């Protein structure tokens, strides 16, 4: 027998990490070399981002539809494209005012000798943005608006759960920006971990609380300031004097948008016991008027992937087996295999059930 020695070759993930680290160093150097950052340059970057989204909105909406399996174009345009453009335009119109120094009073003893004080706002440097999959464009470009307005360079790591959208954003950004201004890093969890470990001057993360803890730990090693926009259990509270029909309509609208895959979607409802039956009937009627069926409905968004669909179905199964009353808000239509999951109501669930302990992020409403 003879032994064959082979030289280890770097994996694709290793190459991506090395490239990402090199890009970070180039952005940091470019930032320091080009100080100060003028208002005109900040506005120019914001304008290019706006033009990119407006010119390529159809392609971005199609990419999001492909990533979800199906997602209404109107929803993507309204929530992702218009929402992003609105934030970018707002920042562009306020840049000069935000850059102005703020006068501050000077107290004893310097005030006695005529000293003056002011705060001058300076860009931090290189900002990292880690965006989620539920609104992949909006949750990337809305934080970008603030970062660009403040004069920073930006590296974006979008979610691997929306690969078509992430890849398209990477191509479009490369066409509209020098990579030392703004670059998109794509890849799986290994790349995401390495991204969060870069010594950013600020790191912005939108996503789950579980992942947020890992992001905070990684950033702590570099003393990187972090903004975390995490999930929770958003309650909808109905008082005894509330308009039940109006409450049902608004809750149905908020819950069914993007199939409940929104951090602000109502996660459970607290309703007076005497009004519970009336509220359930009103909610079912409103849901069916908005989405007469789930399966095959072009106006209804699919759950992002099989893993999340299985998790949602598992929560319903657990509640059913525990004896909770489970009601399909669209009872004449079955849960289709295409991940368009109808709204399921869970009445009076035990607080130890998953539907009351976890952020649902889908079409279940306890």
């Amino acid at each position: 027998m003879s032994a064959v020695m082979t030289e280890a070759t770097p994996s694709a993930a290793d190459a991506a990490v090395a490239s990402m680290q090199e890009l970070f160093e180039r952005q940091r150097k470019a930032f320091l070399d080009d100080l100060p950052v003028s208002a005109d340059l900040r506005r120019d970057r914001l304008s290019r981002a706006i033009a990119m989204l407006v010119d390529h909105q159809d392609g971005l909406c199609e990419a999001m539809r492909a990533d979800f399996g199906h997602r209404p174009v109107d929803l993507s345009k309204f929530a992702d494209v218009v929402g992003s453009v609105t934030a970018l335009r707002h920042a562009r119109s306020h840049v000069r005012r935000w850059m102005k120094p703020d006068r501050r009073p000077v107290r004893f003893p310097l005030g006695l000798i005529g000293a003056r004080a002011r705060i001058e706002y300076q860009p931090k440097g290189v900002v990292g943005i880690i965006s989620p999959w539920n609104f992949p464009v909006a949750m990337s470009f809305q934080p970008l608006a603030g970062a660009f307005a403040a004069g920073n360079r930006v590296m974006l790591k979008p979610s691997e759960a929306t690969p078509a959208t992430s890849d398209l954003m990477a191509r479009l950004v490369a066409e509209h920006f020098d990579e030392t201004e703004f670059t998109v890093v794509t890849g799986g969890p290994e790349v995401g971990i390495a991204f969060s470990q870069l010594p950013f001057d600020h790191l912005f993360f939108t996503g789950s609380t579980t992942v947020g803890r890992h992001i905070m730990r990684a950033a702590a090693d570099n003393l990187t300031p972090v903004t975390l926009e995490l999930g929770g259990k958003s309650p909808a509270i109905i008082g005894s004097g509330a308009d039940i029909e109006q409450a049902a309509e608004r809750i149905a609208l908020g819950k069914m948008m993007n199939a409940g895959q929104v951090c602000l979607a109502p996660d459970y409802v607290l309703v007076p016991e005497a009004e519970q039956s009336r509220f359930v009937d009103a909610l079912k009627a409103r849901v069916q008027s908005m989405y007469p069926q789930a399966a095959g409905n072009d106006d209804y968004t699919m759950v992002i992937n099989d893993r999340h669909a299985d998790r949602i179905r598992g929560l319903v199964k657990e509640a059913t087996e525990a004896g909770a009353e489970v009601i399909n808000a669209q009872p004449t239509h079955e849960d289709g295999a295409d991940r368009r999951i109808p709204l399921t109501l869970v009445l009076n669930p035990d607080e130890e059930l998953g539907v009351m302990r976890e952020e649902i992020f889908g079409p279940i409403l306890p």
Side-chain angles (χ1 to χ4, degrees), residues 72-86:
V73 169
D74 287 346
L75 171 62
S76 294
K77 284 192 175 182
F78 168 75
D80 277 275
V81 178
V82 174
S84 298
V85 169
T86 299

Side-chain angles (χ1 to χ4, degrees), residues 15 20 40 69 77 95 110 127 140 165 169 188 200 203 209 232 248 261 263 274 313 324 346 350 362:
M20 177 177 61
D40 288 341
K77 284 192 175 182
V95 163
L110 297 180
V127 173
S140 298
T165 308
M169 287 195 296
F200 289 111
L203 182 60
T209 301
Q261 299 167 112
C263 62
R313 294 183 179 113
V346 182
D350 188 283

Side-chain angles (χ1 to χ4, degrees), residues 73-185:
V73 169
D74 287 346
L75 171 62
S76 294
K77 284 192 175 182
F78 168 75
D80 277 275
V81 178
V82 174
S84 298
V85 169
T86 299
L88 291 161
R89 285 177 174 168
H90 176 80
R92 185 178 62 182
S93 67
H94 288 79
V95 163
R96 296 185 190 281
R97 181 168 65 84
W98 291 342
M99 290 176 66
K100 288 182 179 179
D102 281 347
R103 293 287 298 273
R104 289 292 189 270
V106 180
R107 294 179 174 84
F108 178 86
L110 297 180
L112 297 178
I113 56 176
R116 296 180 181 180
R118 66 180 182 271
I119 294 176
E120 295 190 358
Y121 298 97
Q122 302 292 334
K124 286 188 168 184
V126 181
V127 173
I129 298 174
I130 303 175
S131 60
W133 52 261
N134 61 324
F135 292 101
V137 174
M139 294 295 96
S140 298
F141 282 85
Q142 289 179 9
L144 177 81
F148 269 178
N152 298 295
R153 310 289 174 121
V154 176
M155 294 179 66
L156 167 67
K157 169 60 177 74
S159 173
E160 61 271 19
T162 50
T165 308
S166 298
D167 289 346
L168 179 57
M169 287 195 296
R171 294 198 303 272
L172 294 177
V173 167
E175 292 172 4
H176 290 76
F177 294 90
D178 185 272
E179 61 186 359
T180 61
E181 293 179 298
F182 178 25
T183 191
V184 179
V185 176

Side-chain angles (χ1 to χ4, degrees), residues 183-239:
T183 191
V184 179
V185 176
T186 59
E190 300 89 351
V191 174
I193 291 170
F195 186 92
S196 66
Q197 294 171 341
L198 291 172
F200 289 111
D201 298 292
H202 197 97
L203 182 60
F204 191 102
F205 170 77
T206 304
S208 71
T209 301
T210 300
V211 178
R213 290 191 177 98
H214 294 296
I215 298 295
M216 181 69 85
R217 290 191 190 100
D221 288 337
N222 298 307
L223 295 181
T224 297
V226 179
T227 298
L228 300 176
E229 198 276 288
L230 307 178
K233 294 289 287 181
S234 303
I237 303 172
I238 300 177

